Amino acid sequence: KPTPLPFTEPASRWAKVDAKPDSGQDATAAIEAAFASKAKVIYFEHGTYHISKNIIVPRHVERIVGMGATLKRLPGSKLSQALGMFRAQNNSHPLTIEKLTFDNTGQGLQVAVEAIGSEPLVLRDVLGHGAVILDRKAKAGEAYLENVAGGLLKFKGEAPVFAHQINTEGSTSPRISVEGAPIKIVGLKTERPQGTVRVSSGGKADILGAFNYPVLEHDPTIVPYVCVDGDKPGQDSELYVSGVIH
């Protein structure tokens, strides 16, 4: 299914995150101020921004453009790792987040984007380190991923997921967790010997083109693709993988 096109309007109407990148200072208030401006497109200048709390993306925001920027946890902050650095509440229109890196290296596993809105969410050219790049909740809308790399991916609920060019790497297993959702992936690559995809609770996964590169000595007890049926009648999970190099 084609990915929804990002919202477009003259750049003069965009709102810039008015924080100094690479300063090490807390940029949370500046990001929230940009969101509160009622602009539909928010953008970051290139650089690194630190945040100290989980930030709600308001319903009127339709596009976040990173310009290659990086978001990091402010050391010593009370940012909840179980909630998204960005919590997407788009209930009236699709939201696109693009050209942004979420970096939580060495500080545990942080949820980067938490999808809680009912409309489609698009991640394009997004990178994660030490992160669950997307945690799609059970009642959230469709998810579209294009050129997403690094972190974990978690999908719950019945709304479909469409992904192109996914590169998930790290020691945590599984890299992609699918609970009840139908997902189609075209182009999947991973490194290190861990479980790649786990489908459960009636989920259905179709993967076309995959490259599993263990890097380290392969552990024969690790199965890269696992399909587990749910504990209720009718929760028969399905997993189809074709074109695999291992």
Side-chain angles (χ1 to χ4, degrees), residues 118-140:
S118 59
E119 290 297 306
L121 175 68
V122 179
L123 299 186
R124 180 183 289 110
D125 301 324
V126 170
L127 181 64
H129 302 295
V132 178
I133 296 179
L134 177 59
D135 184 3
R136 204 275 300 273
K137 298 302 185 182
K139 295 184 179 180

Side-chain angles (χ1 to χ4, degrees), residues 95-172:
L95 169 64
T96 298
I97 300 176
E98 59 186 312
K99 296 180 174 60
L100 197 59
T101 294
F102 298 88
D103 188 356
N104 198 57
T105 303
Q107 301 187 79
L109 196 60
Q110 171 71 51
V111 175
V113 179
E114 181 184 2
I116 53 181
S118 59
E119 290 297 306
L121 175 68
V122 179
L123 299 186
R124 180 183 289 110
D125 301 324
V126 170
L127 181 64
H129 302 295
V132 178
I133 296 179
L134 177 59
D135 184 3
R136 204 275 300 273
K137 298 302 185 182
K139 295 184 179 180
E142 297 178 348
Y144 298 81
L145 294 82
E146 292 190 353
N147 195 29
V148 172
L152 302 173
L153 297 167
K154 296 183 179 182
F155 305 102
K156 292 183 179 180
E158 298 180 355
V161 180
F162 304 92
H164 300 84
Q165 292 186 220
I166 305 301
N167 179 12
T168 173
E169 301 179 8
S171 57
T172 303

Side-chain angles (χ1 to χ4, degrees), residues 21-34:
D22 305 318
S23 66
Q25 299 175 354
D26 190 351
T28 304
I31 297 172
E32 291 183 324

